[in-house]
């Protein structure tokens, strides 16, 4: 680990930095120069260490991290207590055998593997070579990381689509929702299939106060329901003909939901 970190002299004239508060400027400098930093810009930084070294309390530390996540300057993984400085490679990558060997060693020790893929993607974006970095896990690791990122992006897109269509506020980070959606992807369903089901059921149920409650991931994305919803024609509910009551429609929906 290096005993010092370089900060460009035009740091203070950077448009982003000029708009930061004094507190944010100090915190940004801290993230770039603290004793835990690495050559790749991914390192373990527990919140209690930040509190001790900056003098900020936990609430302020969390607030500042959240701000820089929103600014798309960092990402923080709470389970492993790791942080990645997203623009670090843009200003600090040195293409020399000694440095690339060090970076390779650092990347191999990263616990939260999607950060490794983020780093490699940033190198490619900035036009830096990545063929000199051969992580021990090789292409399999990079492929797995890409799959993890794609899964997360798909879940976010699907849940956001449902929230917009049904006027809901479901969280894409729900473990149950992630499990339901990813299991359906494994069965071969596509992103368009999810949107199709959401469109159909929203059209059927959104304006019905009772049925609106069923516009939720646990109902729409349950394996026992999804295929039947996807293959419905028209409204997909019994026609409201003579002898068919609204209670018959509720019963039908409950049966499809696995409640009866």
């Amino acid at each position: 680990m290096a005993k010092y970190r370089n900060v460009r002299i035009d740091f203070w004239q950077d448009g982003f930095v000029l708009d930061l508060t004094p507190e944010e400027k100090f915190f940004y400098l801290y993230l770039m120069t603290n004793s835990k930093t690495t050559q790749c810009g991914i390192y373990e930084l527990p919140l209690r260490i930040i509190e001790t070294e900056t003098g900020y309390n936990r609430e302020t530390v969390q607030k500042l991290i959240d701000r820089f996540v929103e600014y798309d300057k960092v990402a923080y993984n709470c389970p492993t207590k790791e942080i990645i400085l997203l623009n670090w490679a843009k200003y600090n990558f040195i293409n020399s055998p000694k440095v690339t060997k060090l970076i390779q060693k650092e990347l191999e020790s990263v616990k939260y593997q999607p950060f490794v893929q983020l780093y490699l993607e940033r190198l490619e974006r900035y036009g830096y070579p990545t063929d000199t970095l051969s992580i021990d896990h090789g292409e399999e690791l990079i492929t797995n990381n890409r799959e993890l990122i794609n899964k997360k992006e798909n879940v976010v897109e699907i849940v956001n689509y449902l929230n917009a269509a049904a006027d809901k506020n479901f969280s894409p980070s729900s473990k149950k929702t992630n499990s339901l959606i990813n299991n359906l992807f494994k069965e071969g369903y596509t992103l368009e299939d999810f949107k199709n089901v959401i469109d159909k059921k929203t059209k059927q149920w959104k304006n019905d106060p009772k049925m609106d409650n069923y516009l939720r991931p646990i109902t729409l994305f349950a394996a026992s329901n999804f295929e039947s919803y996807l293959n419905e024609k028209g409204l997909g509910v019994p026609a409201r003909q003579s002898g068919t009551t609204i209670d018959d429609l509720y019963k039908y929906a409950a049966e499809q939901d696995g409640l009866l």
Side-chain angles (χ1 to χ4, degrees):
M1 181 182 299
K3 295 182 179 180
Y4 62 89
R5 295 295 173 198
N6 293 324
V7 178
R8 295 169 61 96
I9 61 173
D10 57 359
F11 171 84
W12 300 105
Q13 283 76 47
D14 183 86
F16 169 74
V17 174
L18 286 172
D19 289 335
L20 296 178
T21 66
E23 182 180 56
E24 291 173 332
K25 291 176 181 177
F26 167 71
F27 192 70
Y28 199 23
L29 275 175
Y30 169 75
L31 293 180
M32 294 187 291
T33 61
N34 71 81
S35 62
K36 303 294 183 180
T37 58
T38 59
Q39 191 65 44
C40 68
I42 306 171
Y43 56 91
E44 188 173 327
L45 187 65
L47 299 185
R48 61 179 180 82
I49 296 296
I50 303 177
E51 292 177 60
T52 300
E53 295 185 338
T54 64
Y56 290 139
N57 59 33
R58 178 61 61 91
E59 182 180 1
T60 300
V61 168
Q62 189 62 64
K63 176 188 67 177
L64 287 167
I65 288 178
D66 290 344
R67 283 185 194 171
F68 281 92
V69 169
E70 292 176 4
Y71 296 153
D72 195 34
K73 297 299 182 181
V74 308
Y76 191 86
N77 183 56
C78 292
T80 62
K81 300 179 176 62
E82 289 175 308
I83 192 169
I84 176 173
L85 307 185
L86 296 173
N87 289 339
W88 184 258
K90 182 177 182 179
Y91 300 108
N92 294 277
F93 183 79
I94 301 174
N95 188 22
S96 73
K98 183 178 180 179
V99 174
T100 54
K101 184 177 180 180
L102 173 60
I103 292 175
Q104 177 178 318
K105 183 178 180 180
E106 291 176 348
L107 293 178
E108 289 173 352
S109 67
V110 173
K111 298 174 184 176
Y112 186 59
Q113 292 301 318
F115 280 175
V116 175
Q117 183 62 31
L118 272 176
Y119 178 79
L120 296 177
E121 289 177 350
R122 294 281 170 146
L123 284 185
E124 293 180 358
R125 179 187 301 182
Y126 303 137
Y128 294 130
T130 59
D131 55 350
T132 55
L133 293 172
S134 55
I135 312 304
D136 281 349
H137 300 287
E139 290 301 320
E140 181 179 354
L141 172 61
I142 295 175
T143 300
N144 290 340
N145 286 339
R146 183 68 258 172
E147 289 177 354
L148 286 173
I149 294 171
N150 285 340
K151 285 181 180 179
K152 182 177 180 180
E153 291 175 347
N154 285 334
V155 171
V156 170
E157 182 170 351
I158 290 167
V159 174
N160 286 344
Y161 191 87
L162 172 60
N163 286 337
D167 194 23
K168 303 289 185 179
N169 191 32
F170 295 109
S171 171
S173 62
S174 164
K175 291 183 179 180
K176 180 63 176 179
T177 298
N178 275 259
S179 177
L180 289 169
I181 292 175
N182 289 327
N183 284 340
L184 288 173
F185 272 119
K186 289 179 182 178
E187 293 296 321
Y189 294 105
T190 67
L191 188 61
E192 290 307 311
D193 290 334
F194 283 92
K195 293 181 178 180
N196 193 349
V197 166
I198 292 170
D199 288 341
K200 285 182 179 180
K201 307 314 290 184
T202 301
K203 182 178 180 180
Q204 294 175 35
W205 294 347
K206 184 177 181 180
N207 295 321
D208 186 320
K210 186 172 182 179
M211 299 307 299
D212 181 68
N213 292 328
Y214 293 107
L215 291 173
R216 57 191 183 185
I218 197 171
T219 298
L220 300 178
F221 308 143
S224 57
N225 300 340
F226 193 81
E227 184 173 5
S228 62
Y229 291 159
L230 183 62
N231 292 320
E232 285 178 353
K233 295 181 180 180
L235 289 179
V237 295
R240 188 80 187 279
Q241 298 175 346
S242 177
T244 301
T245 68
I246 190 66
D247 287 337
D248 292 328
L249 300 181
Y250 291 148
K251 181 179 180 181
Y252 172 83
E255 288 173 345
Q256 295 299 305
D257 197 32
L259 301 178
L260 291 178

